[in-house]
DNA sequence: CTGCTTGATACCTCCAGGGTATGATCCAGC
DNA sequence: GCTGGATCATACCCTGGAGGTATCAAGCAG
């Protein structure tokens, strides 16, 4: 049995007349007669009662008509859904993010993407940089977001956004009384650094900037992410360099101050990583969204 | 697209290897490669990633696999159900019955039929003889049950059972004191006759028997069916000739008495009618059940 | 009885599905 | 580093079956 048989059968059942059905199917009458006979023979069931006025469905034929219509609709639906999946418009996208990534760019980006691809289910997984690479290789995620990413043999990197840096200080801290803080002034105060875990990371960047500015930072505490860092600032552990977007964290007793006299490259990138050999249309669609977002972000 | 494509696709997806899939399908590898390519081209979607180790499903392929399996299962189910319908094992059987037909034979017969064909939905419609014939012609019912049926050009008759007759009398009626009543004795008592409606009917049969026995029955009342007749007996309207099976109606104040000295052919038939040109397997199955029932009934 | 409708049959043609042989590529193992 | 054995892809041939035309058979209306 073939989908052709179903198509022909439905046509004959609807027209109740082989000749008209054949015309509708753009074939001649005899082959259609044969196909219906074949179908009946294969099923071993009489589907039509032949009358001098046309073809009339038997009870079994009625049932088969309902089934055939259903199957044909499902086939159509299957092709349509598969095509949409093939264009990256339908499916599931697993995304690796890091602890405090939810602060700025990523929610906006994901929102824009979900707007454009409403039928793609985006699933977020919080994981470290190393876990993300592992998960990418095992195909548990399709893209990962992180900072300080370098391309690998099998892993590509695409920059998403760039952020400037601020210093978070306690509201009654001496530095809080200045509208702008010179970077070198930070040498005098204990600093909270993040993230813990795989190096090199943001920590090394901060140490590098300090060295360039001629001082050795006094490290008061290493913490997992920016959120924890700002929380410790509130508790008086010290000051903490954070990306611009951290200002969305309004901790009581914490203020953010801009920096002057900063070293070159005094900013952090947010990038996303993906498997270089991943040809999936979903990834392509997502990367397109990333690029569109970055352009919009730059202009802003 | 063809069901063949789906079959091939599922095989390749499951084996993750064209060669093995081809072997499983009992074809050689190149045509299978071609069919998969055709399918991908027709859908416009890459379903597999070709690797040196075999075929790996894309995300769209995964989705299509689920759809394809579903469709294939439905096709199988459709053929199976249609075949069962073609054998009269699945479907709907509309049956016309008359008012008091539910007394004896019909429930037993329907029970036996539903036992043997559990997936046939039997729908009962109460209608008169004339309505049944009309409904048969309009295909609203497939069989009808009634008494005193004669075959027509397009309507066939099959006898279901034969019943003897009893007389229903009030418990304090003179005749109630005898164990057996002679038929001619009924001449002295007003009689309740049924059914009203199209003639000839049971009424004419009773009048015929009375004539043969040499008396003219005194008709006290004509009613619609045996149940009403027995109810009127309880109220003292007279006596009423009823089929054996009416004894299942245990009215307070009504007793049933056997008859002696009865005329020949002193019994009533229950028959069923059907369209002579109805080739439906359901009718055939039902008629088989009727014949089986009649045999069992005779032996009893 | 005849003409018009219906579906069924006979026979032909041609394309597409299946076969064999072979190529291109990649990886494992010596 | 090369070779053998996997993988899938390509080239080409052959045959069955889907579709075509012509015609038949049967029932019904006029």
């Amino acid at each position: 049995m073939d989908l052709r048989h179903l198509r022909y059968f439905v046509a004959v059942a609807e027209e109740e007349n082989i000749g008209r059905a054949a015309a509708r199917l753009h074939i001649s009458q005899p082959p259609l007669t044969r196909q219906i006979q074949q179908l009946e023979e294969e099923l071993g069931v009489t589907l039509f009662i032949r009358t001098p006025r046309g073809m009339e469905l038997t009870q079994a034929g009625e049932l088969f008509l309902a089934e055939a219509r259903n199957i044909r609709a499902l086939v159509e639906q299957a092709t349509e859904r598969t095509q949409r999946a093939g264009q990256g418009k339908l499916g599931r996208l697993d995304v690796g993010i890091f602890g405090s990534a939810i602060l700025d760019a990523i929610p906006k980006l994901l929102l824009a993407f979900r707007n454009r691809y409403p039928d793609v289910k985006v699933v977020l997984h919080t994981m470290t940089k190393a876990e993300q690479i592992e998960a990418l290789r095992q195909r548990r995620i399709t893209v990962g977001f992180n900072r300080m990413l370098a391309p690998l043999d099998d892993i590509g990197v695409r920059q998403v956004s760039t952020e400037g840096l601020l210093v978070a200080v306690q509201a009654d801290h001496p530095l809080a009384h200045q509208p702008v803080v010179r970077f070198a002034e930070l040498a005098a105060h204990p600093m909270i650094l993040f993230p813990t875990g795989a190096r090199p990371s943001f920590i090394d960047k901060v140490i590098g900037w300090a060295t360039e500015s001629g001082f050795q930072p006094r490290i008061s505490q290493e913490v997992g992410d920016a959120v924890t860092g700002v929380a410790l600032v509130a508790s008086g552990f010290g000051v903490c360099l954070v990306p611009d977007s951290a200002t969305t964290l309004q901790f009581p007793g914490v203020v953010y101050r801009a920096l002057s006299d900063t070293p070159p490259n005094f900013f952090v990138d947010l990038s996303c990583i993906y498997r270089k050999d991943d040809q999936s249309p979903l990834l392509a669609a997502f990367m397109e969204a990333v690029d569109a977002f970055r352009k919009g972000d730059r202009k802003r």
Side-chain angles (χ1 to χ4, degrees), chain A:
Chain A
M1 190 167 66
D2 242 343
L3 289 181
R4 185 188 50 252
H5 287 114
L6 298 187
R7 196 170 78 247
Y8 288 6
F9 168 76
V10 171
V12 174
E14 284 176 355
E15 298 290 345
E16 295 186 325
N17 176 310
I18 288 200
R20 280 202 303 275
R24 191 171 110 182
L25 295 166
H26 306 296
I27 62 173
S28 63
Q29 171 258 318
L32 182 53
T33 295
R34 245 195 354 227
Q35 293 293 320
I36 297 295
Q37 288 172 339
Q38 276 179 18
L39 180 61
E40 288 187 323
E41 190 169 350
E42 188 179 329
L43 290 173
V45 176
T46 303
L47 298 171
F48 292 101
I49 296 166
R50 277 71 168 172
T51 77
R53 279 188 321 289
M55 308 281 277
E56 195 181 321
L57 282 173
T58 62
Q59 230 187 20
E62 292 276 7
L63 190 149
F64 192 66
L65 175 59
E67 304 270 13
R69 279 184 173 139
N70 185 25
I71 290 168
R72 276 167 51 75
L74 280 178
V75 168
E76 207 167 324
Q77 191 183 316
T79 66
E80 200 256 326
R81 283 165 54 83
T82 304
Q83 282 167 352
R84 279 162 33 90
Q87 293 160 17
K89 289 178 182 164
L90 177 69
R92 171 181 166 140
L93 187 74
D94 292 85
V95 178
I97 56 172
F98 57 100
S100 49
I102 335 98
L103 290 182
D104 182 50
I106 292 179
K108 284 182 198 157
L109 171 59
L110 291 183
L111 210 64
F113 179 73
R114 297 200 55 164
N115 242 9
R116 204 158 134 53
Y117 296 91
D119 293 335
V120 176
K121 189 174 173 188
V122 177
V123 182
L124 300 180
H125 306 268
T126 300
M127 38 178 84
T128 65
K129 199 191 303 183
E131 284 170 345
Q132 283 183 19
I133 290 168
E134 171 90 355
L136 273 178
R137 288 186 174 137
Q138 294 178 356
R139 323 252 164 132
R140 298 203 319 273
I141 63 175
T142 302
V143 284
F145 283 94
N146 230 305
R147 302 191 190 280
M148 306 274 303
L149 292 165
L152 301 175
D153 269 3
D154 53 343
I155 306 287
V157 177
R158 186 86 58 110
Q159 186 183 317
V160 177
S161 67
T162 305
E163 289 187 80
L165 293 152
L166 303 172
V167 60
V169 298
Q170 237 179 336
D172 53 2
H173 192 277
L175 292 178
H177 303 123
Q178 313 175 204
V180 172
V181 176
R182 275 182 302 112
F183 183 62
E185 287 183 85
L186 298 182
H189 306 282
M191 285 182 79
I192 301 156
L193 292 182
F194 64 90
T196 51
R199 306 288 278 267
S201 72
F202 182 53
I203 293 182
D204 304 282
K205 216 160 180 180
V206 175
I207 294 174
W209 287 327
T211 309
E212 277 183 62
S213 299
F215 70 92
Q216 178 93 7
R218 289 168 50 201
I219 301 171
S220 90
Q221 184 71 37
E222 283 189 19
V223 297
D225 56 34
V227 181
T228 319
V230 175
L232 291 196
V233 169
S235 312
F237 273 69
V239 300
C240 185
L241 273 183
V242 296
D244 288 339
S245 58
T247 52
T248 49
L249 283 173
Q250 285 300 347
F251 258 76
V254 174
V255 296
Y256 298 95
R257 288 291 172 265
L259 291 154
S260 63
D261 297 342
T262 54
N265 293 321
F266 189 72
F267 50 77
V268 285
D269 291 343
L270 177 67
S271 302
C272 66
I273 49 179
Y274 54 90
R275 279 199 355 266
K276 275 182 186 167
D277 66 347
D278 190 343
Q279 295 304 311
S280 118
L282 260 176
L283 175 61
F286 190 77
M287 282 313 185
E288 206 178 296
V290 166
D291 289 343
F293 174 81
R294 193 178 41 186
K295 271 186 204 158
D297 203 54
R298 279 252 176 82
K299 273 181 200 148
R300 204 158 37 101

